[in-house]
Amino acid sequence: MYTDTDRCVRAVQSKDARFDGWFFTAVLTTRIYCRPSCPAVPPKARNMTFLPSAAACQQAGFRACKRCRPDTSPGSPEWNARADSVARAVRLIQDGVVDREGVPGLAARLGYSTRQVERQLNAELGAGPLALARAQRAQTARLLIETSELPMADVAFAAGFSSIRTFNDTVREVFALAPGELRRRAGTTHRDGPRLPGSIALRLPYRAPLNPDNLFGHLAATAVPGVEEWRAGAYRRTLRLPYGTGVVSLSPRPDHIGCQLALTDLRDLTLAISRCRWMLDLDADPEAVDAHLRTDPLLAPLVDKAPGRRVPRTVDAAEFAVRAVLGQQVSTAAARTHAARLVTAHGEPVADPDPEGGLTHLFPSPQALAGLDPESLALPRSRRTTLATLVSALADGSLPLGIDSDWEAARARLAALPGFGPWTTELIAMRALGDPDAFLPSDLGVRQAAQELGLPSTPAALTARAAGWRPWRAYAVQYLWATGDHPINHLPV
């Protein structure tokens, strides 16, 4: 996108918010970089240059605009629509791998040398992994400075900086303001409701439109008691994080998602934010997705009726894989019951920061379930075998699942396990791995919707018919599911 100069100039001159996050405008005369929708008077075209990332802008010596705050725009949707090494690297950097494991750790996860990773990222994003991680730390720091009341030392620690001096120098360099001045300019803290003691309140931006019905409806309707709940207009759940545990509360708002995080270790903050954004699919480009799906005359009315549907994902791929097996050929209520029993027997207890909340446990890890006696499960024998095999593969590392997974390789590993058919494999690819083209032609809800719309209802015929929906078939599934009256399609009262 950023190499198409004429298109970028037109987007800047029309202040088109659809391109926020796709590219950044660096102004040669002022040495400021902006998002395309910046409200300021656009610079002359000859004074603009375009870069693919905030990190590239910062590395080239540009500072963030104080009006449009380009460092806070939603992330580029490109990285969630691809499964190549660069996209996987970006997702891992957003997940905090460089801060925790360094560039060698990032390279090891991708199966490349550090030199190869550096070269690939610089070629596409104009910045290497360290610069990208630094830009993310700066963004997190600004978010905390302006929206929390944490002392500056705690802000530096939570954002991932190794020292107060590095934190101060980075903030001054990137934003041309000292941390204290940033906080004074922000004025009063914006709040989305009562704040729990010890929690951090944030606003998660997204590209409009966003339809919260299926997104939060799905998460609430399938919530595992003790791990998740819908309460007081918010979806709440427990989080297992590298340095500790956490509880997050997420509530839909007209122009953002309200987020309250209570963490046992502030070093997990960046990762917790990243996983919440991933779970809610907040970096999607709904305009592009919906425009493509509207080209099918049978889907167009569904899209026009309620545009902006997202794919509800998960904060833990291994957890979702276990829950997918528990949900095979049973109702949503039965799947929740089976999962709740596992949580009670094998989950790690946590304290809910809200005295009126109902969160009690983390979902059990694969290691905690590895010694599970299959005979103790109230499941058919074949399902017990499937679950035991899955848990063993997750625990010993032979089945790596995560945001960095190669989608096709993960599908092949899943399909090789006993009891894993196309439905379970594609559901995991869609909601745990984030493949935007995952498709469930054998799903009962999809087939019923297809029949009502006049689409083919057999899996093979529907798959052939859906070829025109690629690469957004996972979003088409959300629109098809929405034709039913299942609780997953409605925001809880």
Side-chain angles (χ1 to χ4, degrees), residues 5 17 99 180 208 214 245 256 315 406 409 413 427 433 473 478 480:
T5 301
D99 289 335
N214 77 300
T245 63
H256 67 276
V315 294
D406 180 296
R413 292 190 183 99
L427 187 65
L433 306 183
R473 292 184 301 176
Q478 308 308 313
L480 292 173

Side-chain angles (χ1 to χ4, degrees), residues 142-304:
R142 181 171 189 165
L143 188 68
L144 290 173
I145 290 169
E146 295 184 337
T147 64
S148 80
E149 298 167 358
L150 288 173
M152 291 301 178
D154 289 344
V155 169
F157 179 67
F161 289 96
S162 58
S163 70
I164 301 295
R165 180 176 180 178
T166 304
F167 161 70
N168 287 328
D169 290 346
T170 299
V171 170
R172 287 193 183 97
E173 180 181 343
V174 173
F175 306 115
L177 290 170
E181 182 61 22
L182 267 181
R183 179 164 284 178
R184 282 191 293 274
R185 282 172 174 257
T188 57
T189 302
H190 298 290
R191 300 192 180 188
D192 282 310
R195 182 181 301 180
L196 296 172
S199 70
I200 300 170
L202 309 167
R203 292 183 170 202
L204 306 183
Y206 57 77
R207 291 179 183 82
L210 181 143
N211 188 320
D213 294 0
N214 77 300
L215 181 59
F216 285 92
H218 208 124
L219 295 171
T222 60
V224 177
V227 176
E228 305 164 285
E229 68 174 0
W230 178 268
R231 198 176 69 78
Y235 166 75
R236 306 178 69 241
R237 72 154 292 150
T238 59
L239 301 170
R240 174 179 281 105
L241 300 163
Y243 298 108
T245 63
V247 170
V248 64
S249 175
L250 299 162
S251 51
R253 298 287 184 261
D255 60 351
H256 67 276
I257 300 296
C259 173
Q260 285 197 49
L261 280 162
L263 305 172
T264 59
D265 193 313
L266 284 176
R267 288 176 294 179
D268 287 321
L269 179 65
T270 300
L271 175 57
I273 294 172
S274 173
R275 291 192 176 173
C276 289
R277 294 192 63 83
W278 171 262
M279 177 175 63
L280 300 181
D281 197 13
L282 296 185
D283 290 324
D285 184 351
E287 293 276 1
V289 173
D290 290 351
H292 183 75
L293 296 181
R294 280 192 184 99
T295 61
D296 188 314
L298 296 181
L299 277 186
L302 300 181
V303 178
D304 292 337

